[in-house]
């Protein structure tokens, strides 16, 4: 096989003032960088067929993002990379940029459709595919799997327990602990990359965070790539480690579980609320002392398991490549479940418990999880502002009490999608199911079982490993089992196509798997194409104002200087007069921050950390009178070499010349300081 792998940074500076995507919190506007976001592309070519798998450090792949990427690929490569053989999956970080959706609900919660958000995402994903495409080389693929049992818990165990007992008894855990690894090597056996799938939410960085962050999955990638690309800065090594999401719908990394913040007592088991403060006070934490520590612990555990499985992967993946894809109108799928009964999907709608949020980030209003009856107060407000749901939609979604009947709301554009991608790619004996949302643990188990049965029914596949790639191609919220839906916790209330959503997906994915097994993919109808809206997209983000600075100062001047000496484990902090980071535009190939060490042999400064490094943090603070500061922290690791260091900050500021904005570069440097074992030297 030809194996093509590479990665490209895709963070955009505009994200530093935009809403972050994930918690739907309008107050969560980014104001700094914890870690950069990356697109990691893997291309596998068996000589006859090609598949592309991309895992990107974003909350989810939107339909608009996918369509824009496919258009860019078609312009460059013709029909080589298409909707059927390109899988785009998000790691589900809740601290990435927003503004790349074309449906009204998502635009409302992310300040609209923002071109300066979506364009760097498109460019970054396409660039990662470009580089992979240009690095063709023959290679081999190996697979391995194991269990990681200390990094996840089920955040809706009450819903899980509503699944049939005999089904639950087949499994040891109420979450999937399986880690699957694909190891990529060249023909000499030298490693060139890895993909790992593990089911856990990337919410170790919680809803109070204001920095762009790739969260626990991104940290796992950072560690493995640092391990394999010794001495290289983040994103610059040849080895690419992709950590992909899976059926994480009811799975949290906050392993200490939910407690009432105001009392320290466990939350109510059924509705995840507290006697005083309701759902807002019920939060899940852990395992660390704070969100940075928790991210580090969970990410390190995932990294260590993947590294172990990678090192011991000896089962070679052989066989042909297949790719099957359809567009499906998920509002109108009917499935025959027995000789006398059919079930159908519904127009999209969100239930009352959607507004309650989860134990990873609860809502601010008096909604609770597990609501199977409406609230006259909120229903009255909804009816007055948006109109009531139709009787047909209410009956179809029962027992969900509908808060937003989004399938019946179309101004200024539809609030939710109708046309959804379903897709399976197989790489030899490994089948990757691209799921357009967040499947719960049991939903994922049923789907994997169904696809495996269909693939092996024709004896063309044996010992098939089936894995779910979540948050792929388009976002449609959650996918629970029928039984979990009845409980109407957050996940059930957010299953937008009704109680039979999973049944419909099982039917559609079985059809794709059957076509692959019978080698009849070419006979599959493409289905109705999704819309690409050009009118009525709105942007609520105002242009950034001009930058001002204190009197008798320049941009890049130091306001708070470093100390002369630090030890390993200390935090170096320096504050600069700064411009608005949005004025730096697309900075995928540059950095706001460098930590540099002086090389006495060459008498030059060497960059050892950037704003993509875990060890640095870049904070931007907007002050009064259009003045702002940038504070840079370097958390000195135990491995830092003794020596002479400095921290540099790079940026741009905007001024007006008449009616024309002028963007000007600037940079600033801290004083020189030493890192040593002792303050006495």
């Amino acid at each position: 096989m030809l194996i093509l792998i590479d990665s490209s940074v895709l963070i955009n500076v505009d994200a530093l003032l935009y809403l972050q995507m994930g918690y739907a919190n309008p107050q969560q506007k980014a104001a700094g960088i914890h870690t950069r976001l990356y697109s990691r592309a893997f291309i596998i070519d068996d000589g006859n067929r090609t598949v592309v798998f991309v895992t990107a450090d974003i909350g989810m792949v939107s339909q608009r993002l996918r369509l824009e990427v496919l258009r860019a690929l078609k312009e460059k490569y013709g029909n080589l990379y298409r909707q059927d053989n390109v899988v785009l999956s998000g790691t589900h970080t809740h601290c990435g940029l927003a503004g790349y959706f074309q449906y009204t609900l998502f635009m409302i919660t992310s300040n609209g459709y923002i071109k300066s958000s979506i364009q760097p995402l498109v460019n970054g994903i396409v660039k990662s595919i470009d580089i992979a495409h240009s690095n063709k080389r023959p290679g081999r693929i190996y697979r391995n799997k194991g269990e990681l049992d200390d990094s996840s818990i089920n955040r809706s165990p009450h819903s899980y327990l509503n699944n049939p007992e005999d089904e639950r008894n087949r499994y040891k855990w109420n979450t999937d602990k399986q880690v699957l690894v694909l190891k990529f090597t060249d023909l000499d056996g030298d490693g060139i990359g890895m993909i790992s799938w593990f089911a856990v939410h990337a919410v170790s960085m919680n809803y109070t965070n204001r920095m762009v962050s790739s969260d626990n999955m991104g940290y796992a990638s950072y560690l493995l790539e640092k391990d394999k690309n010794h001495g290289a800065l983040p994103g610059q090594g040849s080895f690419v480690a992709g950590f992909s999401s899976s059926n994480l719908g009811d799975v949290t990394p906050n392993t200490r579980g939910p407690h009432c913040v105001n009392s320290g007592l466990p939350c109510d088991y059924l509705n995840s609320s507290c006697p005083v403060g309701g759902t807002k006070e019920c939060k899940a934490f852990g395992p660390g002392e704070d969100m940075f520590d928790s991210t580090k612990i969970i990410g390190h555990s995932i990294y260590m398991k993947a590294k172990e499985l990678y090192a011991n992967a000896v089962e070679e993946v052989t066989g042909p490549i297949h790719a099957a894809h359809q567009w499906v109108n998920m509002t109108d799928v009917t499935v025959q479940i027995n000789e006398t009964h059919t079930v159908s999907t519904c127009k999209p709608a969100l239930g009352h418990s959607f507004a309650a949020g989860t134990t990873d980030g609860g809502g601010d209003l008096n909604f609770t999880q597990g609501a199977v009856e409406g609230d006259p107060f909120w229903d009255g407000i909804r009816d007055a502002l948006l109109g009531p749901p139709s009787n047909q939609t209410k009956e179809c979604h029962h027992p969900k009490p509908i808060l937003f009947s989004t399938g019946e709301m179309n101004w200024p554009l539809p609030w939710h999608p109708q046309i959804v991608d379903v897709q399976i790619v197989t790489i030899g004996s490994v089948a990757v199911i691209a799921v357009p949302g967040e499947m719960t643990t049991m939903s994922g188990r049923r789907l994997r079982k169904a696809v495996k049965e269909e693939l092996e029914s024709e004896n063309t596949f044996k010992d098939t490993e089936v894995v779910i790639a979540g948050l792929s191609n388009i976002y449609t919220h959650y996918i629970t089992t029928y039984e979990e839906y009845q409980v109407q916790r957050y996940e059930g209330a957010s299953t937008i196509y009704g109680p039979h959503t999973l049944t419909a997906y099982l039917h559609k994915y079985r059809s794709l798997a059957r076509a692959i097994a019978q080698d009849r993919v070419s006979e599959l109808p493409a289905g109705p194409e999704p819309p690409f809206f050009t009118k009525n997209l709105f942007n609520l983000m105002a242009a950034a104002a001009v930058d001002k600075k204190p009197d008798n100062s320049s941009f890049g001047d130091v306001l708070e200087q470093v100390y002369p000496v630090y030890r390993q484990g200390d935090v170096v902090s320096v504050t600069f007069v700064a411009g608005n980071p949005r004025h730096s535009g697309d900075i995928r190939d540059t950095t706001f921050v460098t930590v540099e060490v002086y090389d006495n042999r060459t008498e030059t400064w060497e960059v050892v950390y950037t704003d993509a490094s875990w060890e640095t943090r870049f904070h931007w603070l907007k002050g009064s009178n259009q003045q702002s500061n940038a504070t840079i922290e370097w958390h000195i690791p135990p491995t830092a070499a003794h020596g002479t260091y400095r921290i540099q900050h790079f940026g741009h500021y905007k001024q007006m010349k008449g009616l024309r904005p002028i963007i000007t570069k600037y940079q600033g440097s801290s004083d020189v300081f030493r890192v040593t074992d002792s303050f006495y030297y």
Side-chain angles (χ1 to χ4, degrees):
M1 289 185 178
L2 291 176
I3 303 173
L4 308 76
I5 307 174
D6 211 283
S7 66
S8 168
V9 67
L10 57 77
I11 183 67
N12 179 265
V13 65
D14 284 333
L16 295 176
L17 277 183
Y18 292 166
L19 289 177
Q20 292 173 292
M21 190 66 201
Y23 292 109
N25 179 1
Q27 302 305 313
Q28 195 188 20
K29 290 185 179 179
I33 296 177
H34 176 224
T35 56
R36 287 285 186 117
L37 311 180
Y38 288 87
S39 170
R40 295 174 171 88
F42 301 79
I43 305 178
I44 301 98
D45 183 343
D46 67 0
N48 294 311
R49 300 187 184 99
T50 300
V51 296
V52 180
F53 183 84
V54 173
T55 177
D57 290 331
I58 54 177
M60 60 285 289
V61 175
S62 73
Q63 184 179 81
R64 182 56 173 249
L65 176 58
R66 176 170 167 82
L67 292 175
E68 296 252 19
V69 168
L70 289 174
R71 285 187 172 197
L73 291 175
K74 185 175 179 62
E75 187 175 324
K76 283 192 171 190
Y77 299 105
N79 290 322
L80 180 59
Y81 302 130
R82 312 168 303 273
Q83 72 268 12
D84 63 306
N85 68 352
V86 174
V87 179
L88 305 181
S89 178
T91 61
H92 205 36
T93 174
H94 285 45
C95 302
L97 71 171
Y100 58 98
F101 294 79
Q102 66 173 2
Y103 291 97
T104 299
L105 180 73
F106 303 125
M107 286 195 285
I108 289 173
T109 58
S110 54
N111 269 356
Y113 172 81
I114 303 169
K115 272 200 172 286
S116 51
S117 274
I118 192 169
Q119 204 54 56
L121 290 174
V122 174
N123 293 345
I125 290 171
V126 172
K127 182 179 177 182
S128 67
I129 295 171
D130 286 342
I131 298 172
H133 177 85
S134 66
N135 287 338
K136 294 183 180 181
R137 66 184 117 169
R140 294 187 174 91
I141 305 174
Y142 302 87
R143 76 182 201 190
N144 199 4
K145 65 178 179 179
E147 287 190 344
L148 178 61
D149 62 5
D150 62 352
S151 298
S152 62
I153 61 172
N154 195 305
R155 71 183 186 189
S156 287
H158 181 54
S159 296
Y160 181 87
L161 286 173
N162 213 42
N163 290 306
E165 183 178 7
D166 63 334
E167 183 180 35
R168 289 186 279 113
N169 287 341
R170 290 185 226 135
Y171 304 98
K172 181 179 178 181
W173 309 92
N174 63 1
T175 64
D176 277 340
K177 306 296 186 181
Q178 178 177 297
V179 179
L180 177 67
V181 161
L182 292 186
K183 174 181 180 178
F184 300 87
T185 74
D186 60 21
L187 292 181
D188 293 327
D190 294 327
I192 56 177
M194 183 216 71
I195 312 176
S196 172
W197 288 271
F198 178 60
V200 69
H201 257 80
V203 291
S204 293
M205 298 294 292
N206 65 38
Y207 64 98
T208 66
N209 173 51
R210 295 295 181 270
M211 290 189 291
V212 171
S213 176
S214 57
D215 212 285
N216 46 43
M217 287 295 194
Y219 185 54
S221 289
Y222 176 80
L223 288 175
L224 190 55
E225 289 175 350
K226 185 177 181 181
D227 190 34
K228 297 294 185 181
N229 300 317
H230 185 69
L233 292 171
Q236 295 185 14
S238 61
F239 187 95
V240 179
F243 285 78
S244 176
S245 61
S246 194
N247 53 315
L248 48 67
D250 51 359
V251 188
T252 175
N254 295 311
T255 52
R256 284 178 12 215
H259 291 77
C260 296
V261 176
N262 50 10
S263 70
L265 297 174
C267 303
D268 180 88
Y269 175 75
L270 296 180
N271 59 32
S272 299
S273 65
C274 299
V276 178
T279 56
K280 189 175 181 179
E281 292 297 316
C282 177
K283 304 297 180 192
F285 297 99
E289 296 179 359
D290 58 29
M291 60 182 169
F292 299 99
D293 193 31
S294 292
T295 302
K296 187 174 184 178
I297 292 169
I298 296 297
H300 186 266
S301 293
I302 297 169
Y303 149 73
M304 286 297 291
K305 176 55 67 172
K307 181 180 178 180
E308 170 198 325
L309 294 172
Y310 177 91
N312 297 311
V314 294
E315 183 180 354
E316 188 169 1
V317 176
T318 59
I321 286 171
H322 297 276
H325 171 277
Q326 282 185 308
W327 286 302
V328 176
N329 183 349
M330 276 300 293
T331 70
D332 187 26
V333 178
T334 299
V335 182
Q336 188 89 32
I337 57 173
N338 56 41
E339 291 182 357
T340 59
H341 288 80
T342 60
V343 295
S344 300
T345 54
C346 316
K347 291 181 179 180
L350 291 162
H352 275 245
S353 294
F354 163 76
T358 73
T359 55
D360 294 322
D364 289 333
L365 304 174
N366 64 333
F367 293 90
T368 58
Q369 296 198 64
V372 291
E373 294 183 1
D375 183 300
F377 175 76
W378 292 113
D379 288 347
I381 292 177
R382 174 206 61 207
D383 293 351
L385 295 177
L386 303 171
S390 66
N391 289 333
Q392 179 185 3
T393 297
K394 287 194 287 187
E395 291 169 5
C396 188
H397 279 271
H398 181 80
K400 177 195 290 179
I402 294 175
L403 182 62
F404 299 121
S405 184
T406 53
E408 298 173 315
M409 298 159 64
N410 295 293
W411 186 86
L413 287 167
W415 281 48
H416 265 145
Q418 289 186 334
I419 310 304
V420 173
D421 296 72
V422 292
Q423 182 183 28
I424 299 174
V425 299
T426 63
I427 305 162
S429 58
V430 177
V432 180
I433 311 171
V435 170
E438 305 178 54
M439 274 199 166
T440 60
T441 298
M442 195 62 84
S443 292
R445 288 168 175 170
R446 292 183 190 178
L447 180 59
R448 290 198 305 263
K449 180 174 180 289
V451 168
K452 183 178 176 70
E453 287 174 353
E454 290 293 342
L455 288 174
E456 296 182 348
S457 63
E458 301 290 327
N459 294 319
T460 51
F461 285 81
K462 293 181 180 179
D463 189 27
T464 311
E465 193 64 55
V466 181
V467 67
I468 287 169
L471 290 308
S472 294
N473 298 335
I474 177 176
Y475 186 60
T476 62
H477 297 265
Y478 284 74
I479 304 155
T480 64
T481 66
Y482 175 83
E483 295 84 358
E484 292 164 349
Y485 186 93
Q486 306 307 306
V487 180
Q488 279 298 293
R489 282 178 62 84
Y490 175 82
E491 294 83 11
S494 304
T495 298
I496 62 174
Y497 299 115
H500 303 293
T501 298
L502 176 61
T503 302
Y505 278 126
L506 290 173
H507 175 67
K508 292 298 179 181
Y509 282 107
R510 276 186 178 275
S511 176
L512 296 185
R514 192 178 309 120
I516 290 173
Q518 297 174 353
D519 199 18
R520 300 175 66 179
V521 171
S522 62
E523 299 176 20
L524 286 170
E529 288 196 29
F532 186 92
F533 298 124
T534 56
K535 297 181 179 178
N536 297 330
L537 296 164
F538 57 87
N539 179 359
L540 302 178
M541 274 304 284
V546 297
D547 295 302
K548 295 183 180 179
K549 56 184 175 58
D551 292 339
N552 302 314
S553 69
S554 300
F555 289 99
D557 282 357
V558 175
L559 295 172
E560 294 182 24
Q561 193 56 266
V562 297
Y563 296 127
V565 183
Y566 294 89
R567 294 178 297 189
Q568 288 98 338
D570 289 343
V571 178
V572 185
S573 179
V574 57
T575 300
F576 297 89
V577 177
N580 189 322
R582 288 173 63 187
H583 296 146
S584 293
D586 184 344
I587 60 155
R588 284 175 298 140
D589 298 319
T590 59
T591 179
F592 288 112
V593 176
T594 59
V595 178
E596 303 173 8
V597 64
Y598 190 72
D599 188 330
N600 290 310
R601 295 167 301 173
T602 62
E603 298 184 340
T604 58
W605 290 95
E606 177 190 356
V607 176
V608 287
Y609 299 99
T610 68
D611 61 22
S613 302
W614 171 267
E615 294 79 3
T616 63
R617 296 176 192 173
F618 172 68
H619 303 272
W620 179 75
L621 179 64
K622 183 179 180 181
S624 59
N625 300 321
Q626 295 171 242
Q627 298 178 12
S628 58
N629 301 336
T631 297
I632 295 165
E633 296 176 359
W634 176 36
H635 294 246
I636 306 175
T639 56
H642 298 176
T644 302
Y645 290 83
R646 71 181 182 187
I647 293 175
Q648 293 215 80
H649 165 50
F650 305 88
H652 295 75
Y653 63 90
K654 182 169 84 171
Q655 295 180 322
M656 299 299 292
K657 188 172 184 178
L659 298 176
R660 189 162 59 96
I662 303 296
I663 305 295
T664 305
K665 285 184 179 181
Y666 72 87
Q667 72 180 76
S669 180
S670 73
D671 285 347
V672 170
F673 59 92
R674 286 188 56 78
V675 173
T676 183
D677 280 334
S678 171
F679 288 142
Y680 304 99
Y681 63 97

